[in-house]
Amino acid sequence: MVGSTHWIATASAQAVLERGGNAFDAAVAGAFVLHVVEPHLNGPGGDMTGVFVTADAPSTPRVLMGQGPAPAGATIEHFRAEGLDLVPGSGALAAAVPGAVDAWLLLLRDHGTWELADVLAYAVGYARDGHPLLGRVSSTLSLVAELFRDHWPTSAARWLPDGAVPGPGTVVTNPEYADLLDAVVAAGSSARNRAEAIDLARAAWRERVGAAVEEFVATPHRHADGGDHAGVMTAADVAGFAASYEDATTATFRGYTIAKTGAWGQGPALLAACKILEGFDDVALDPSTELGAHTILEAQKLALADRDVWFGDPADDDVPLTYLLSEDYAARRRALITDTASREVRPGAVPGRPTPPVPALRTEYASDAPIGSLPGAPTGGAAAGVGEPTVPGPDSPEHTGATRGDTCHIDVVDRWGNMISATPSGGWLQSSPTVPGLGFCLGTRLQMTWLDPASPSALVPGRRPRTTLTPTLVLRDGRPLIALGSPGGDQQDQWQLLFLLRVLVGGYTPQQAIDAPALHTTSFPGSFWPRTWTPGGAVVEDRLGDDVITGLERRGHVVTRAGDWALGRLSAVTHDPATGLLGAAANPRGAQGYAAGR
């Protein structure tokens, strides 16, 4: 079974399963297709994280780490010297080392069964022969067309044939990227075995991408702050990165084990929210009621406050996750939830540890550096093509979360019991200029770091930015039950929490949980440029109902109505150990996600 955010990726992954491939072969094939068919939400120059179990070790969830670090030249001092007080939301200066492709190839080498050429054939075919352009890609291009024409000519050449934005359904190709994938496959043709062939392909990828990137980003180009800056990434930075595996971070909730990434991602915040909520009666955990929605929003605020103060790449200093996920700490955090909405950021204290500073709390972005604005910028100065990949239009409400935050996701389970949840992102077409010779651009994940050396998420060369990418596995009695995830930036775990509460506590089926009305808080500093917040903010789907929404407002929540079907893009796959039955579910919003299997 496969669930993903695009029907072509689901179909490609399912085709692999039908031909005898396992879940990891299928996930890699689908992920490379996502790079092609959802270019406004992810790309080969971006990143990914995955959580998986193998049929041989079903009780041991592992993390596939495809989050590249900051380049050697990405120092706070350099960014400050460029007149910046935040890492920009677009432009190559904000790029972490690309990690997604190496991670997928590592997974294929170690846990897949297919040859690389066969796995990549789906993506190569859609890149070379074409695929129908999504309406959302066309609308994104409309927002950044002026930026491309005036400042990013390589992106204009790539995406604006004859100077015009291609309309929805237009068949588009990317022969440059298809050629690159073919060359990477060919690099392994002299190998003695499959594993060696994939390692040779990984080396060829690093060499070709690194050389092209170093040459291109050395020329200053427009960034989100309105200034022109050169990037700092070099071929050595690209060559020095290798994807890896890590033990998953886990916590228990109502007898289930939930597996996430470490605190270099936001995943443990979901675990913290679950531990806080575990002490409430079931009646307080129903997101469709006023009490449940209020309780969940307040728990999320507390978990996210700890995320923003304590989480980061623990290269130099371990994040105190054992304490932050403990029963005693959860009880103390739970006691802070009252009948009214908090409008504060309230991180907790850790015994024997100084509490890092709370990030800057801005309701509007006002820099102490001279800031320009890009042509076509939305109201409030947030430049088109920056920050989260879903670009708000000029008339969109600012900083509410209603239209912000998307990426891609894929879940796969096979007949043998292999299961994976993975979230590819970064390198979306509006991130930075297209790199000649590659057919794609770099990502902007460094915007999640702070130019404050006291922050655990400070910009430091060689450290991973604290990513928002956060796939999930659910296990019980040492057996995997559910793989799930969602696009959505800061909202990813918030929407997944609703799913978990509805399925694990409320008895919903996965599809019912995905279809049910969603909500999330915006009462914390955002992870994406310009990193603003809405004190007491809550974004809800109108289907939650007037009575519930009015009740939330009466409790002090600052509510934004997002529309009936606007929030959440979850997918999931399931495995019932008792019967062997597999299942899948996908998001109906946008008529794009798809679940399939047999």
Side-chain angles (χ1 to χ4, degrees):
M1 306 291 286
V2 182
S4 88
T5 51
H6 196 292
W7 69 90
I8 292 179
T10 295
S12 300
Q14 184 64 26
V16 173
L17 295 176
E18 296 282 355
R19 293 172 57 194
N22 69 14
F24 307 116
D25 299 316
V28 176
F32 274 89
V33 169
L34 286 172
H35 287 160
V36 176
V37 299
E38 289 197 291
H40 61 317
L41 304 178
N42 81 144
D47 33 50
M48 67 79 61
T49 64
V51 186
F52 67 95
V53 292
T54 65
D56 294 335
S59 63
T60 307
R62 298 281 281 164
V63 171
L64 175 62
M65 199 292 292
Q67 177 57 66
T75 65
I76 291 175
E77 294 74 18
H78 178 75
F79 279 61
R80 289 290 187 181
E82 292 285 311
L84 298 166
D85 63 344
L86 289 177
V87 177
S90 71
L93 193 58
V97 177
V101 167
D102 193 64
W104 287 119
L105 297 185
L106 177 69
L107 181 73
L108 182 67
R109 185 196 72 182
D110 294 342
H111 297 289
T113 63
W114 274 27
E115 298 295 332
L116 179 59
D118 295 331
V119 170
L120 296 188
Y122 300 90
V124 170
Y126 285 116
R128 191 176 304 287
D129 301 329
H131 65 279
L133 192 72
L134 289 171
R136 294 188 181 190
V137 179
S138 181
S139 61
T140 298
L141 287 170
S142 295
L143 289 170
V144 294
E146 191 172 351
L147 167 67
F148 284 10
R149 295 186 188 105
D150 292 347
H151 299 286
W152 293 1
T154 56
S155 293
R158 164 77 184 88
W159 290 106
L160 306 177
D162 303 320
V165 173
T170 302
V171 175
V172 296
T173 63
N174 190 351
E176 199 167 40
Y177 181 51
D179 289 344
L180 176 61
L181 291 182
D182 282 343
V184 166
V185 170
S189 60
S190 62
R192 293 165 295 181
N193 55 55
R194 177 179 170 278
E196 183 180 323
I198 293 175
D199 279 339
L200 289 172
R202 295 170 69 195
W205 174 268
R206 294 188 189 104
E207 181 179 359
R208 293 177 67 110
V209 171
V213 165
E214 179 173 344
E215 179 181 0
F216 180 67
V217 303
T219 300
H221 54 273
R222 187 57 50 93
H223 281 57
D225 67 310
D228 291 341
H229 309 278
V232 295
M233 194 176 300
T234 67
D237 292 316
V238 178
F241 172 78
S244 61
Y245 304 110
E246 298 180 2
D247 291 334
T249 300
T250 62
T252 58
F253 174 76
R254 298 291 180 89
Y256 297 90
T257 297
I258 303 173
K260 304 290 289 182
T261 71
W264 51 268
Q266 70 171 327
L270 172 65
L271 304 180
C274 285
K275 299 307 292 184
I276 293 170
L277 292 170
E278 191 169 27
F280 288 99
D281 293 335
D282 288 2
V283 68
L285 303 183
D286 183 352
S288 298
T289 68
E290 176 190 331
L291 175 61
H294 167 74
T295 305
I296 292 164
L297 288 168
E298 294 305 294
Q300 293 279 23
K301 293 176 190 177
L302 295 170
L304 290 168
D306 280 341
R307 179 199 74 172
D308 290 334
V309 164
W310 291 109
F311 288 16
D313 190 342
D316 294 341
D317 191 17
D318 290 339
V319 177
L321 274 185
T322 300
Y323 180 77
L324 295 175
L325 298 178
S326 68
E327 302 288 347
D328 289 345
Y329 183 71
R332 284 193 285 276
R333 300 296 274 164
R334 190 181 306 125
L336 297 176
I337 298 177
T338 67
D339 292 337
T340 58
S342 170
R343 298 192 181 184
E344 300 177 85
V345 174
R346 298 181 291 175
V350 175
R353 299 281 295 270
T355 301
V358 173
L361 299 176
R362 296 167 161 136
T363 55
E364 295 180 355
Y365 179 60
S367 172
D368 50 26
I371 299 296
S373 61
L374 294 178
T379 57
V386 303
E388 294 179 78
T390 295
V391 183
D395 298 323
S396 297
E398 281 289 353
H399 316 316
T400 64
T403 59
R404 295 165 62 89
D406 267 317
T407 193
C408 302
H409 189 78
I410 186 167
D411 303 298
V412 187
V413 60
D414 66 28
R415 54 188 158 177
W416 299 288
N418 300 300
M419 182 181 282
I420 182 168
S421 171
T423 308
S425 187
W428 42 79
L429 65 88
Q430 63 274 27
S431 294
S432 59
T434 299
V435 181
L438 301 182
F440 59 83
C441 62
L442 294 173
T444 54
R445 190 63 60 183
L446 293 187
Q447 66 183 291
M448 297 182 181
T449 64
W450 293 97
L451 302 182
D452 177 1
S455 170
S457 293
L459 176 65
V460 176
R463 282 195 190 176
R464 295 166 291 187
R466 198 274 300 146
T467 181
T468 53
L469 305 180
T470 179
T472 302
L473 283 184
V474 180
L475 303 91
R476 187 161 197 170
D477 299 326
R479 306 294 296 184
L481 303 181
I482 308 171
L484 72 144
S486 175
D490 287 312
Q491 289 78 52
Q492 289 182 27
D493 273 337
Q494 298 198 59
W495 296 335
Q496 291 181 69
L497 178 62
L498 304 179
F499 176 100
L500 294 173
L501 293 174
R502 284 171 165 141
V503 172
L504 304 184
V505 179
Y508 286 51
T509 68
Q511 191 62 57
Q512 288 172 334
I514 290 172
D515 292 350
L519 70 153
H520 62 263
T521 179
T522 53
S523 191
F524 58 91
S527 295
F528 292 86
W529 189 91
R531 313 209 71 170
T532 55
W533 78 311
T534 302
V539 183
V540 305
E541 287 188 319
D542 293 50
R543 291 182 298 125
L544 198 61
D546 290 340
D547 290 346
V548 173
I549 294 172
T550 300
L552 291 175
E553 291 173 332
R554 186 169 54 246
R555 289 173 182 263
H557 296 277
V558 180
V559 175
T560 297
R561 293 178 180 238
D564 283 342
W565 295 87
L567 306 179
R569 289 183 62 211
L570 282 86
S571 64
V573 294
T574 61
H575 175 227
D576 184 346
T579 65
L581 184 66
L582 306 181
N587 172 51
R589 298 162 180 85
Q592 185 176 315
Y594 210 81
R598 74 173 178 90

